[in-house]
Amino acid sequence: MRLTTKGRFAVTAMLDLALREQKGPVTLAGISERQQISLSYLEQLFGKLRRNSLVDSVRGPGGGYCLARPVADISVADIITAVDEPLDATQCGGKENCLEDNKRCMTHDLWSDLNRTIYEYLASVTLATLIEKQRTACASTQATTECVLHDKRKSTQEHQALA
């Protein structure tokens, strides 16, 4: 299996969006700054997420992105699949031509079962689940520790103003 940066960044960006969209559309520039992901890379990812009906774009001043579905209806598997990330532990891409003579290898079923298990797990984890975990983690941190929910730039400016 290979879960590349593309899939990880897409999930991170979608979680960032889900945590902030109640205040209105979220800009990719904001996500880029908070999550330290290249803006041009986010533009590519969000194009795919939009085409797969996971996000909607809002044009004009105050525009950005918002989720196209409720957080409970968007799974991690949906996000990863939308950005064309294959979850495949087989060498043959599931085509059963693992060996040079186009035959299946002895462990093909093992890797296929692993693919299925990973997909089922990622399909069971929704943005709602990730939001709840993030909020729980933030609530349990001490006041001096920065929480991922907050804009690091704003937190730094507030800390400097208080000092």
Side-chain angles (χ1 to χ4, degrees), residues 14 17 46 49-51 53-57 65-68:
M14 286 290 284
L17 172 62
F46 272 73
L49 294 167
R50 189 178 46 76
R51 284 189 295 277
S53 302
L54 295 179
V55 297
D56 288 323
S57 60
Y65 285 87
C66 52
L67 297 176

Side-chain angles (χ1 to χ4, degrees), residues 4-5 15 22 31 50 55 57 61-62 83 92 109 112 116 120 122 130 132 155:
T4 64
T5 303
L15 179 56
Q22 71 278 0
I31 295 172
R50 189 178 46 76
V55 297
S57 60
V83 295
C92 63
D109 290 334
S112 292
R116 191 171 22 267
E120 288 169 0
L122 294 177
L130 295 177
E132 185 58 35
S155 295

Side-chain angles (χ1 to χ4, degrees), residues 3 6-15 18 48-49 52-55 67-85 87 116-131:
L3 179 57
K6 187 189 301 183
R8 292 179 202 277
F9 282 176
V11 172
T12 299
M14 286 290 284
L15 179 56
K48 291 179 181 187
L49 294 167
N52 283 277
S53 302
L54 295 179
V55 297
L67 297 176
R69 297 190 237 159
V71 290
D73 295 343
I74 300 175
S75 73
V76 172
D78 293 334
I79 298 166
I80 292 171
T81 302
V83 295
D84 300 326
E85 273 302 289
L87 294 172
R116 191 171 22 267
T117 301
I118 291 169
Y119 183 84
E120 288 169 0
Y121 171 71
L122 294 177
S124 75
V125 178
T126 65
L127 279 178
T129 307
L130 295 177
I131 288 169

Side-chain angles (χ1 to χ4, degrees), residues 15-158:
L15 179 56
D16 186 284
L17 172 62
L19 287 165
R20 290 174 175 76
E21 77 164 349
Q22 71 278 0
K23 295 178 183 175
V26 178
T27 66
L28 293 185
I31 295 172
S32 173
E33 195 170 307
R34 284 186 298 275
Q35 303 306 325
Q36 299 177 354
I37 302 171
S38 158
L39 181 57
S40 61
Y41 200 66
L42 283 173
E43 289 168 348
Q44 293 172 28
L45 293 176
F46 272 73
K48 291 179 181 187
L49 294 167
R50 189 178 46 76
R51 284 189 295 277
N52 283 277
S53 302
L54 295 179
V55 297
D56 288 323
S57 60
V58 178
R59 293 179 172 258
Y65 285 87
C66 52
L67 297 176
R69 297 190 237 159
V71 290
D73 295 343
I74 300 175
S75 73
V76 172
D78 293 334
I79 298 166
I80 292 171
T81 302
V83 295
D84 300 326
E85 273 302 289
L87 294 172
D88 188 10
T90 65
Q91 285 185 305
C92 63
K95 296 176 185 170
E96 299 187 13
N97 60 352
C98 315
L99 302 175
E100 287 180 20
D101 56 358
N102 287 332
K103 293 184 181 175
R104 288 170 34 126
C105 65
M106 295 187 324
T107 56
H108 183 85
D109 290 334
L110 169 69
W111 306 126
S112 292
D113 290 346
L114 177 61
N115 289 344
R116 191 171 22 267
T117 301
I118 291 169
Y119 183 84
E120 288 169 0
Y121 171 71
L122 294 177
S124 75
V125 178
T126 65
L127 279 178
T129 307
L130 295 177
I131 288 169
E132 185 58 35
K133 285 183 179 184
Q134 188 63 47
R135 289 192 172 139
T136 301
C138 286
S140 66
T141 60
Q142 297 177 356
T144 58
T145 306
E146 279 190 29
C147 181
V148 177
L149 289 174
H150 300 113
D151 186 333
K152 290 180 184 177
R153 197 173 38 122
K154 186 181 271 184
S155 295
T156 302
Q157 290 170 350
E158 289 170 1

